[in-house]
Every structure is written in C-alpha cells, then in structure tokens.
Amino acid sequence: MLIQEISDRSDFNKNILLETTVLKNPILLFDNWIKNAQQNDIKDYQAFCLSTVNKNLQPSSRIVYLRAYEKAKYFFYTNYNSKKGQEIKKNSKVCLTFFWPELEQQIRIEGVAHLAPKKNSNTYFKNRPLASQIGAWASPQSEIIKDRDELEKRYIDIETIIDPKKNIKRPEFWGGYYIAANYYEFWQGRKNRLHDRIIFKLKNKKWAIKRLAP
C-alpha cells in the first residue's frame, strides 16, 4: 500500500508566550486572544471544535460557533436532540479547541456543559435570520433522512404556514449550552517546534499556572 506523505512544513516565529509575563487570569487571556483574532480579520475566528464522548467512550468532534462568553462560560446553540446534545446529556464533560493558524495560536478549554437559561436561548433565536429560524424547526438534526428533497420539503412546509410578520417561537428541542471552564491551555507556535504551552487549572477557586513541554 502506498502511503501518501505530506511534507509541507513551515516554522513558527510570530510570537512568544511566557508564564512570567502572561496574564495570570485565563479568562482575561482568552478575551485578549479572541479579540486579537477578530481585530486581525481572522476568518471564522469564533469557530471551535467541540469534542464530546458517547456512551461507548468514543470521542466525537465537530465545528460550532461561539456565540457569547462571560467570565469562564462559553455559549453555543444547537438542537438538543442532535448527536452532540445526546452525548452531552449522558456525559457533560467536553472540550473546546480554537485554532488560528494565521496567528500560530491555539486555545484548548476543558469544562462541563450546562443548558443555557431559557431567556438566553429565546433572545438568541429571536435575533436569528428568519431562514435560520425555519431551518431549526425543519431539521431533525443528526437523524437519518431519505434524501435532500425530504429536508427541503420540510423547510417549505413550515415556510408556508408561518407568518413572517410574527415572531416564530423557539422550538423546545433547540437552544443553548454554556461550557463552564475548569482548564485552559494556550499554545503559541515557536521556532524549531519548541512551542509555548501554558496551562491554567482551577483549584480551590484559583487558577494555577504551569508550562508544558511541547
């Protein structure tokens, strides 16, 4: 069997990350990094890989969008009946990974997922585009469907009966989660693959900071 090797390599030299000078609060450091990504016009800077675990301990990952954050809480929205929703229901421990190759930076966050307050979900759903609101009702997310035509028919059926001048009610099966963080890892690419990795662990309500070998 022919193994297709990928030989593209580039070195990392855009920044440094030292435990002696870094912000000692990971919440503030996250805020600093994500705002910097936004200011540098990084496409989809708010996208992160959400990793969950199913009942057989099989990890499962997908890209979702961060929609809000406050302190150590990170919010996203989805169908509660989706694969990730069902896995979170059985095991609420999750991991988030942000990666901005243009900045040679990565953030890993571990924590516990909780249902967001209904008022948050209602407000977010109300502010979505009408087409996205209809899509939330139309899609039986993660379920097997016959074909694309079935999905589009479901969309059209709902579109024909709603009044666009009235607010569409948020489906009970759709809403938000927030991740309460208890671990952060900030990764900064460095020359010769000697990358900087600074971690923060929550212990007795305080953040302990350490450096990991790359």
Side-chain angles (χ1 to χ4, degrees):
M1 180 184 293
L2 177 63
I3 298 177
Q4 181 63 52
E5 295 186 355
I6 299 176
S7 58
D8 291 347
R9 292 180 179 273
S10 59
D11 216 339
F12 301 86
N13 54 18
K14 290 191 174 181
N15 215 327
I16 64 174
L17 184 63
L18 302 177
E19 62 271 42
T20 53
T21 58
V22 73
L23 288 170
K24 300 304 186 290
N25 186 321
I27 299 168
L28 299 179
L29 185 56
F30 175 88
D31 182 63
N32 182 291
W33 276 32
I34 199 166
K35 285 179 178 176
N36 182 60
Q38 181 185 30
Q39 292 165 4
N40 278 277
D41 295 322
I42 304 302
K43 181 176 174 56
D44 295 328
Y45 70 93
Q46 75 276 40
F48 65 89
C49 177
L50 172 68
S51 297
T52 54
V53 177
N54 68 18
K55 62 182 180 181
N56 298 317
L57 301 183
Q58 173 63 50
S60 179
S61 299
R62 75 288 289 160
I63 303 300
V64 300
Y65 285 101
L66 180 69
R67 293 307 186 187
Y69 64 96
E70 60 171 356
K71 297 184 179 179
K73 296 179 180 179
Y74 302 91
F75 290 77
F76 71 95
Y77 295 85
T78 189
N79 187 315
Y80 294 139
N81 296 326
S82 65
K83 188 173 188 290
K84 56 184 170 294
Q86 292 301 311
E87 291 175 351
I88 287 172
K89 187 176 182 179
K90 290 180 168 43
N91 183 346
S92 60
K93 294 180 180 179
V94 300
C95 182
L96 291 63
T97 304
F98 294 83
F99 180 49
W100 304 306
E102 301 91 337
L103 302 175
E104 299 172 355
Q105 291 180 334
Q106 175 179 274
I107 305 175
R108 290 182 59 250
I109 301 174
E110 295 177 6
V112 178
H114 303 267
L115 288 176
K118 288 186 177 181
K119 65 178 182 179
N120 293 64
S121 296
N122 290 337
T123 298
Y124 179 77
F125 187 81
K126 182 179 178 180
N127 291 329
R128 296 186 96 200
L130 177 61
S132 296
Q133 293 178 339
I134 297 172
W137 276 101
S139 174
Q141 191 173 2
S142 298
E143 293 184 15
I144 295 174
I145 57 176
K146 180 181 178 181
D147 51 29
R148 176 77 188 187
D149 289 343
E150 177 186 341
L151 184 62
E152 293 184 352
K153 183 179 184 303
R154 291 173 64 99
Y155 183 96
I156 293 171
D157 287 346
I158 294 172
E159 186 179 35
T160 57
I161 63 174
I162 61 100
D163 183 349
K165 295 180 181 179
K166 296 181 179 181
N167 291 330
I168 300 177
K169 183 180 178 181
R170 174 181 63 87
E172 290 296 324
F173 57 78
W174 193 99
Y177 292 93
Y178 70 85
I179 313 305
N182 53 42
Y183 175 94
Y184 293 79
E185 178 185 322
F186 293 84
W187 178 95
Q188 178 68 60
R190 294 292 300 274
K191 188 176 181 181
N192 301 325
R193 299 302 190 268
L194 297 179
H195 310 304
D196 289 328
R197 297 173 64 193
I198 302 298
I199 65 169
F200 296 82
K201 287 185 177 181
L202 190 59
K203 187 175 182 180
N204 298 325
K205 298 183 178 181
K206 293 184 179 180
W207 293 102
I209 180 172
K210 300 290 183 181
R211 171 178 287 270
L212 297 183

